[in-house]
Amino acid sequence: TMRASFPPLSRGARTLASEAGRRSYDAVVCGAGIAGVSCAHYLARSGASVLLVDSRPPLSHTSSLSTECYRNFFPGSVPLTAFMQRSVDLLEARAAECDNAFGLNRRGYWFLSASEEGAAQHALALSDPGLASCGGVSHFSDASHGLRYRHDAPTGAAAAAAAGGGGGGGGDGPAAMLFSGREAVQAYVGSLPPFLAADASSLLVASRAGWMSAQQMGMELLSKARDAGAATLIPSSLQGVRTASDGQVEAALLSVPGESEPLEVRTGAVVNAAGPYAGVVDALLRGGGGEGGGGRELPLQNEVHAKAVLRDDLSAVPGDAPMVVWTDPVTLPWSEEEAEALLEIGGFEASLAGSLPGGFHLRPYPGKPHSLLMLWEAIHADVAVPREPPEEAELRGSLFAELTLRALSRAVPALGGYLGEDGSMTANVSVDGGYYSKAPDNLPLIGPAAGGPRGAYMCAGLSGYGIMAANAAGELLAKHVTGAPLPEAYAAGFLPERWESEEYRRGVESGAVGKGFQI
């Protein structure tokens, strides 16, 4: 299933394939998306020789369709919070090395609610142990806090001064700020032109958060990896592995265009960083595993991820706004006739007539004309994706855009100006999307591949946080491969072998194992 149809190799690529077949590598990384590129980067950075292989160009497919955001805000999971804290450390270090060529900013995330239930959910962050470990949450309940949003300064720096300091967050004060009550909220957001729903009464600001050019960030990692000696063989794909009698990987077998036989590349480590195809590669490695091969199939799931880019001709959202997330459930503004028609259709359409989950969000999108990036994962939550997903994700296209716009008009009323009198969307919108690959516990799979041969590793299941987690994921994978000391805060909790435990599986199914924050 992993063999692909390729165009003929160029002369230069044929030379590289020939060279790859004549030498050995410390590691062969399968998958040149953001996870695989980061693995190659941190392996090469540690002194390992690396070959990166993929059937597609680097940083294409799902990696090219991301939201390009980051945050260290993952309440509900201490390991995931520590992991993201480390990843943001690395993001900032990589940005400093290239004079911030990938435009990393600190606009922050704003989680907004207009309900008592939403405010109570926001307040849980005040006692979250993971957030406490990286600066905690500063709480303000009236307009006297003196804080104002600034798009050009790290969110949280002013709060650190107002709260008398506070560690964590990369030295920027609290991990988050909670503004309770309309007066407290309006005082903080008042530095921007009014654009939010006036009844927003709870605002949770994730301080160490923002966005970047993910493609440029990935290219920086790949360029530095090549500078450190990493090689790429693209297009090619993993066909299998050869193992020694003791079950140790000895070679990777690669399918290469124009070759009738697989190319054998000597290596002691094969890394599965195949993104939405990681489950397929994992099954392949288990099948070629020598001693100890087998084990239980990893419960990797693929979900559709879509985003819409709207040309904001009405300037409904200021260009220097942060990421805005409305956390309350919403009932879309249908007419009585429309709601009845949806109920008659049944299925997904009928669900649209009732209360729908919150979590819809937007941010300014760079470039001219002024545009907005809009997302709402709930709209594709019912779409089943096979273990080996289609090349292109099945998207609801203009329907996704219209539904997301309708929902976001609850948070930003001026967006209703893009809906005609009959409720149809009048905006100029484009939609694209790919896949999130995740485990049921929403934690990554990083380390030795369970059930595979010795020397088989995995860096996958990065869910909806692949771009923001990539640096820490690549660093952790490199530590596993090279035998470097592992971070105690999160390494053990991300091992793929956890899914070999029936007790762990039952704990996830019952809810006893926390999944961390998801939007």
Side-chain angles (χ1 to χ4, degrees):
T1 55
M2 292 303 297
R3 294 187 68 95
S5 177
F6 304 119
L9 277 180
S10 66
R11 178 177 299 177
R14 280 190 175 278
T15 300
L16 179 56
S18 177
E19 291 176 353
R22 288 199 303 268
R23 61 168 294 187
S24 63
Y25 294 88
D26 294 321
V28 173
V29 177
C30 304
I34 191 62
V37 165
S38 187
C39 289
H41 175 94
Y42 286 97
L43 281 163
R45 201 177 185 100
S46 68
S49 58
V50 186
L51 180 65
L52 181 65
V53 303
D54 201 321
S55 60
R56 303 172 184 84
L59 303 167
S60 60
H61 205 232
T62 284
S63 290
S64 66
L65 302 169
S66 76
T67 314
E68 303 185 300
C69 295
Y70 77 95
R71 66 183 189 275
N72 72 336
F73 184 82
F74 280 81
S77 176
V78 174
L80 205 50
T81 298
F83 179 62
M84 291 301 180
Q85 184 80 343
R86 177 58 182 163
S87 206
V88 179
D89 287 343
L90 293 169
L91 264 174
E92 292 177 344
R94 302 293 80 82
E97 288 175 352
C98 65
D99 196 26
N100 200 15
F102 50 89
L104 186 72
N105 70 36
R106 274 287 191 97
R107 295 281 189 92
Y109 276 47
W110 288 3
F111 298 95
L112 287 150
S113 169
S115 70
E116 292 183 2
E117 296 80 7
Q121 287 295 312
H122 290 181
L124 294 177
L126 294 169
S127 57
D128 185 82
L131 297 178
S133 70
C134 56
V137 180
S138 295
H139 189 199
F140 308 99
S141 56
D142 58 41
S144 66
H145 51 70
L147 302 175
R148 301 291 183 272
Y149 168 72
R150 286 184 56 191
H151 76 278
D152 58 350
T155 306
D172 295 325
M177 298 180 291
L178 176 61
F179 298 91
S180 299
R182 295 185 189 179
E183 292 78 12
V185 172
Q186 290 301 321
Y188 181 71
V189 307
S191 56
L192 289 173
F195 73 103
L196 296 171
D199 61 342
S201 55
S202 182
L203 168 61
L204 184 58
V205 178
S207 304
R208 205 177 184 202
W211 56 87
M212 75 200 86
S213 167
Q215 282 287 297
Q216 190 61 43
M217 186 270 287
M219 289 306 299
E220 288 292 332
L221 293 180
L222 182 58
S223 176
K224 293 295 193 302
R226 285 169 166 159
D227 290 346
T232 55
L233 183 56
I234 295 172
S236 65
S237 64
L238 184 70
Q239 184 175 335
V241 294
R242 178 169 58 79
T243 59
S245 58
D246 62 356
Q248 171 65 45
V249 169
E250 285 189 329
L253 308 177
L254 304 179
S255 176
V256 179
E259 301 296 329
S260 58
E261 297 296 325
L263 174 69
E264 185 171 296
V265 177
R266 287 169 292 160
T267 185
V270 173
V271 179
N272 174 4
Y277 302 96
V280 180
V281 174
D282 182 65
L284 184 153
L285 290 171
R286 288 169 186 262
E291 291 187 4
R296 303 184 64 172
E297 182 180 86
L298 283 173
L300 272 171
Q301 308 161 342
N302 289 315
E303 297 179 352
V304 172
H305 161 70
K307 68 178 189 292
V309 177
L310 176 146
R311 196 173 76 186
D312 189 15
D313 294 329
L314 300 178
S315 297
V317 176
D320 51 4
M323 170 75 85
V324 173
V325 186
W326 191 263
T327 58
D328 292 340
V330 65
T331 299
L332 298 179
W334 305 109
S335 68
E336 186 175 337
E337 293 78 11
E338 288 173 325
E340 289 178 357
L342 290 169
L343 290 171
E344 288 180 6
I345 295 172
F348 168 74
E349 285 78 6
S351 72
L352 299 176
S355 178
L356 296 167
F360 38 92
H361 46 297
L362 61 77
R363 69 167 175 87
Y365 193 71
K368 301 289 185 180
H370 174 53
S371 300
L372 303 175
L373 192 69
M374 310 187 304
L375 302 96
W376 194 10
E377 301 302 347
I379 300 305
H380 290 99
D382 67 312
V383 178
V385 181
R387 191 167 180 81
E388 184 171 3
E391 183 74 16
E392 294 187 6
E394 177 186 340
L395 304 178
R396 289 196 159 108
S398 60
L399 176 61
F400 164 78
E402 179 180 330
L403 295 173
T404 304
L405 181 61
R406 283 176 178 257
L408 281 166
S409 67
R410 172 66 181 92
V412 181
L415 289 174
Y418 293 112
L419 297 169
E421 291 185 5
D422 61 353
S424 62
M425 183 174 60
T426 60
N428 186 322
V429 179
S430 62
V431 176
D432 64 26
Y435 300 106
Y436 286 157
S437 179
K438 61 189 293 187
D441 59 3
N442 201 43
L443 298 178
L445 297 155
I446 305 173
R454 285 192 296 113
Y457 296 87
M458 171 171 275
C459 182
L462 297 183
S463 190
Y465 48 77
I467 296 298
M468 64 185 87
N471 279 267
E475 180 192 58
L476 178 57
L477 184 282
K479 290 179 183 292
H480 276 292
V481 173
T482 62
L486 301 175
E488 295 181 3
Y490 51 82
F494 299 164
L495 290 171
E497 68 181 26
R498 68 187 185 270
W499 291 105
E500 299 292 299
S501 165
E502 185 61 35
E503 181 181 359
Y504 187 83
R505 288 178 179 247
R506 287 199 300 267
V508 173
E509 291 171 1
S510 68
V513 175
K515 299 183 180 182
F517 183 72
Q518 303 178 71
I519 56 171

